[in-house]
Amino acid sequence: MTNPPISTSVPQPAAPPSLPVPYEPPGETKRGFDFRHFWHSTLERLWVVALCVVAGLFLALGYLARTPKLYQSHAVLEVDFQEPTMISGEETSSRMRSMFLASQEALRTIEQNLTNRNLMARVVRSEGFADDGGRAFLGDSVTGDAAQPSTPKPAAAGTLADIPARDRAFNPLEDGLGGALSSMVKPVIRRGTRLIDLYVTNRDPAVAQRIAEAVGREYIRMSIERRSDFSQESLRYLMEEEERLKGNLQRSEAAVAEYKAKTPDALQLGGGATATGGAPGSSAGGGRGGLVEDKLQDLTSKVTSAKTDRVRLESELQQIDQIAESVDALLAIPSIANAPVVVDRRKDVAQLESAVASLEQRYKSRHPKMMAARAALTEAQAALSRAVLSQPAVLRNVLQQARAAEKSLGSAAADQEKAAFALNKAAIGYQELARQAETDRALYESVLRQIKETNLTKDVKTNAVSIAEHATLPYAPASPQPVKAIVLGLLGGIAAGLGCIYGVDVLDRSIKTVDQAETLLGLPVLAAVPERVSLEAKNAKGSTTAGSGTTYRLVAEAPEGPVAESFRNLRAALSLLGPEVERKVFLFTSALPNEGKSFTSANYALALAQQGHRVLLIDGDLRRPSLHKIFFDTATNRKARPDKDNPPGLIDCLVGEAELSAAVRRVLARDVDVSRPTKGGNETFTTATGGELSILAGGRRAPNPAELLSGTSFGKVVAEAARIFDRVVIDSAPILAVSDTLLMMPHIQTVSLVVRAAKSPRNAIHRALSLLAVAGARPAGVVLNRLPRRRGAGHYYYYASPGYGAGEGSYETLKS
């Protein structure tokens, strides 16, 4: 294969714009939870989850070892809808009590009262837990003054010893043990029922059973005692009230009798039975009203009826006067239409009309029977007309009679009203006294009834709460549960591990995938270079030390690997960006050190040389030059040689002490070629495809590299190199570390930014792109270097297919 012709035209670097546009990083799209990304991050950091799981397991085992065993006893209480009673009836208080017990609030109230501190102290006293200082109750010894059991002192008659045990105040030890007991008792309402599950937890199973029984028993006893105390207090109050109401009733009845003796006419308007002490409602007048009032009401109703009839008759006579002698119109008046004579005549007419209609079906109009029937119909219609026309006179007579009756009834009602008013003055005082006496009697009888009921039920020991299921002796500890504790420890470890992974992933500001790089930077990814593995280093010929550079020159030393293939992808991507004359000078840079720019520059130059191009690789990192270490094994520490023995480099060309042709060092074809073994010895520089690779090292150290690069010398060196060589590749310094790279931008045609995957922070990359934009250069794309190839991180390098074509004669057999 012949070498391509060398272009004699010198490429003109793109001039920077007069007003550079500042770089604006694309906004990071807010997305939801990316399960796929999180899954691969979890697989990558699976050791964190494993470590947290082991820690959770050890915590669970430690919890099981240190936590004492607790036993739980269980009893069931049942709450009835109403309290059992010996008295039948529906009193207001009983109904309200039953309504409360039937509500959910009653169940919650009972549930809260089951952990009442006073009830717990009663349990402690009834079971004698305070006798030994609470040792049996708490399962260990109680220290201090509280551990000393209270010893009762002998007391004289009438002192504290005579007070029942339930009425004595609790001592501090009992009160303290009651508070501790409340934390051991847990009542729970069983959903959809009227049952309350009572759970008691203690170190001793027998003590747990005793407490569960005692809590239910003491609650029932306390409720019965409260009810008994309330009944005794109510009975005492009712007895006092009965004496007071009895005196009031006697005085009221005496006043009624005295008033009745002085005013006997008052009975005609009411009073009756109450005044005389008889049954209510048995008076002659019936209820509160007397004879005078009843008669007055009867007369009033009759006057109203007579007035209604008169008004109706007057209205109908006015219609008759307007109608005159129209029979059909008069029949529309209800009084005339309903008159007995008119009703009879209308029936006759209807019967004859029916007979005529029947005869018409059988005979002609001049038949004797037809003529007789029509004559009878005409006579009946005439009789109906005469009856209708005679009714107005009848109605006028009835109207006169209605007016007279109305006047007579009105006079009688007025007289009766006057009599009622006269008697009412005398009956007001009597009715007031009678009502007072009636009220006092009702109150007295009600109190007597309540006294009888209270006296009957005061000693009844019943309660709405009962024990439905007695407590049983637990045989197995309820806490801790080994299986549950271990499962929770493992789940907690998994959750903690996943949380740590998620937190680290959220806080990680590096770029991990090709999609992330293109989305966050707004630039295309030209190549995704995977992480180098030991397999590729083993396949590389020669020494594997960093000093020899074979682990850097993977395009030549391991051409069958995915790293070499990614650089061939980079070569193809950059070659398609534009015309060849505009894509001859390439520069590789990075935002920070140790991102792989020198590694990328060297392998890209090797890939170009393998394609048949004459390539010059310039070490533009004058602060830390490294290309001479990668390609020339004879390079040693500069301190071992004087400066005059060092080969010339870029610094010498910039200061004018060496020509470019003298400073360039060519690389042997055996270190570049992959197509066939080198022919003609080890000193051949031209590859099988006709390509050559030359290196312009940094040369001696310069005290002022930035000043040297800012002058015109660097531009002249680049222009001369572009004229002599097909491609010029420049390895530069990190952008954020020094300003050297920004000074080279006016002389560069294509800039590529190297980003180390999973390490380079986004803000540093954005800052580097902003500085490049200010310098008038926009990178052609990004080289995403060292993409992880560990387990779980395969999705980072999903654009490559490592091993494709392996064993088919591609690259791997050419270096043998």
Side-chain angles (χ1 to χ4, degrees), residues 38 93 206 241 337 344 353 433 464 494 510 539 555 708 785:
F38 181 69
S93 59
E241 193 69 12
D344 292 341
E353 287 178 347
L433 293 175
I494 294 174
S510 63
N539 293 336
V555 172
L708 293 176
N785 188 31

Side-chain angles (χ1 to χ4, degrees), residues 266-272 274 281-291 293-294 424 427-428 430-432 434-435 438:
L267 293 176
Q268 297 184 27
L269 281 177
T274 302
S282 62
S283 62
R288 291 187 56 187
L291 295 174
E293 291 179 342
D294 294 342
N424 190 43
I428 290 176
Y430 174 77
Q431 292 177 353
E432 183 177 354
R435 284 194 298 270
E438 184 179 351

Side-chain angles (χ1 to χ4, degrees), residues 618-623 647-664 696-721 730-731 740-741 743-744 747:
I618 301 176
D619 194 346
D621 189 355
L622 303 182
R623 312 293 180 108
L650 178 61
I651 296 294
D652 301 281
C653 295
L654 294 178
V655 298
E657 295 182 0
E659 296 293 332
L660 178 63
S661 58
V664 169
L696 179 59
R700 59 189 177 88
R701 294 295 179 91
N704 56 345
E707 287 72 14
L708 293 176
L709 294 174
S710 62
T712 59
S713 299
F714 180 75
K716 294 179 180 179
V717 170
V718 172
E720 185 178 359
I730 303 175
D731 176 29
D740 298 359
T741 302
L743 299 174
M744 300 178 184
H747 313 289

Side-chain angles (χ1 to χ4, degrees), residues 283-302:
S283 62
R288 291 187 56 187
L291 295 174
V292 176
E293 291 179 342
D294 294 342
K295 188 175 181 180
L296 178 60
Q297 291 178 358
D298 184 55
L299 289 174
T300 303
S301 62
K302 289 181 179 180

Side-chain angles (χ1 to χ4, degrees), residues 229-437:
D229 295 342
F230 177 76
S231 298
Q232 292 289 349
E233 186 67 22
S234 299
L235 184 60
R236 183 188 61 79
Y237 171 76
L238 290 174
M239 294 296 293
E240 295 176 356
E241 193 69 12
E242 187 267 342
E243 291 295 331
R244 185 182 65 82
L245 292 177
K246 184 177 180 180
N248 292 343
L249 178 59
Q250 290 175 353
R251 288 190 294 271
S252 299
E253 290 182 346
V256 169
E258 182 180 359
Y259 191 87
K260 185 170 58 175
K262 292 181 180 180
T263 314
D265 294 339
L267 293 176
Q268 297 184 27
L269 281 177
T274 302
T276 58
S282 62
S283 62
R288 291 187 56 187
L291 295 174
V292 176
E293 291 179 342
D294 294 342
K295 188 175 181 180
L296 178 60
Q297 291 178 358
D298 184 55
L299 289 174
T300 303
S301 62
K302 289 181 179 180
V303 170
T304 302
S305 178
K307 186 177 180 180
T308 302
D309 293 341
R310 176 183 59 79
V311 172
R312 179 178 58 80
L313 291 172
E314 289 178 348
S315 175
E316 290 179 349
L317 286 174
Q318 289 180 359
Q319 294 180 10
I320 291 171
D321 294 339
Q322 294 176 1
I323 293 172
E325 295 182 355
S326 177
V327 176
D328 293 336
L330 291 175
L331 286 174
I333 297 174
S335 296
I336 296 177
N338 296 329
V341 177
V342 176
V343 172
D344 292 341
R345 300 289 82 80
R346 294 180 70 179
K347 288 181 179 180
D348 295 341
V349 171
Q351 292 175 356
L352 290 173
E353 287 178 347
S354 176
V356 169
S358 177
L359 290 174
E360 286 180 349
Q361 301 289 334
R362 301 170 58 187
Y363 305 106
K364 294 184 178 181
S365 60
R366 294 186 177 275
H367 194 275
K369 290 184 178 182
M370 283 292 300
M371 296 177 64
R374 288 178 177 175
L377 177 59
T378 302
E379 180 61 26
Q381 290 176 348
L384 176 60
S385 299
R386 289 193 296 270
V388 171
L389 295 175
S390 64
Q391 288 302 313
V394 176
L395 291 179
R396 288 187 180 90
N397 292 334
V398 174
L399 177 59
Q400 295 298 328
Q401 293 175 3
R403 288 174 178 173
E406 180 184 357
K407 183 176 181 181
S408 175
L409 291 172
S411 300
D415 295 340
Q416 190 66 27
E417 187 175 358
K418 291 179 181 179
F421 286 154
L423 292 175
N424 190 43
K425 293 180 180 179
I428 290 176
Y430 174 77
Q431 292 177 353
E432 183 177 354
L433 293 175
R435 284 194 298 270
Q436 182 63 38

Side-chain angles (χ1 to χ4, degrees), residues 689-759:
T689 58
E692 292 184 4
L693 176 62
S694 302
I695 307 297
L696 179 59
R700 59 189 177 88
R701 294 295 179 91
N704 56 345
E707 287 72 14
L708 293 176
L709 294 174
S710 62
T712 59
S713 299
F714 180 75
K716 294 179 180 179
V717 170
V718 172
E720 185 178 359
R723 181 177 58 82
I724 299 174
F725 295 92
D726 299 337
R727 300 287 188 271
V728 178
V729 181
I730 303 175
D731 176 29
S732 65
I735 297 175
L736 300 184
V738 293
S739 62
D740 298 359
T741 302
L742 300 178
L743 299 174
M744 300 178 184
M745 288 299 108
H747 313 289
I748 306 302
Q749 291 179 324
T750 303
V751 180
S752 297
L753 183 66
V754 180
V755 176
R756 183 171 177 178
K759 184 176 181 181

Side-chain angles (χ1 to χ4, degrees), residues 379-550:
E379 180 61 26
Q381 290 176 348
L384 176 60
S385 299
R386 289 193 296 270
V388 171
L389 295 175
S390 64
Q391 288 302 313
V394 176
L395 291 179
R396 288 187 180 90
N397 292 334
V398 174
L399 177 59
Q400 295 298 328
Q401 293 175 3
R403 288 174 178 173
E406 180 184 357
K407 183 176 181 181
S408 175
L409 291 172
S411 300
D415 295 340
Q416 190 66 27
E417 187 175 358
K418 291 179 181 179
F421 286 154
L423 292 175
N424 190 43
K425 293 180 180 179
I428 290 176
Y430 174 77
Q431 292 177 353
E432 183 177 354
L433 293 175
R435 284 194 298 270
Q436 182 63 38
E438 184 179 351
T439 302
D440 291 341
R441 178 173 295 278
L443 290 174
Y444 179 71
E445 292 176 351
S446 175
V447 170
L448 285 179
R449 184 172 60 258
Q450 293 183 26
I451 289 174
K452 292 178 181 179
E453 294 177 356
T454 304
N455 192 31
L456 183 62
T457 60
K458 66 178 181 179
D459 296 327
V460 177
K461 296 182 179 180
T462 58
N463 192 263
V465 180
S466 60
I467 298 177
E469 182 180 336
H470 291 276
T472 57
L473 182 66
Y475 294 98
S479 175
Q481 300 178 4
V483 176
K484 182 179 179 180
I486 292 175
V487 170
L488 289 178
L490 295 177
L491 293 178
I494 294 174
L498 294 178
C500 292
I501 292 174
Y502 181 75
V504 171
D505 194 58
V506 170
L507 296 176
D508 189 2
R509 303 300 296 170
S510 63
I511 296 176
K512 300 183 180 65
T513 66
V514 174
D515 285 344
Q516 274 188 341
E518 293 181 344
T519 302
L520 298 176
L521 304 180
L523 296 173
V525 174
L526 301 174
V529 182
E531 183 72 75
R532 287 165 287 173
V533 296
S534 59
L535 180 61
E536 295 176 80
K538 290 179 182 179
N539 293 336
K541 67 178 183 179
S543 174
T544 58
T545 60
S548 64
T550 55

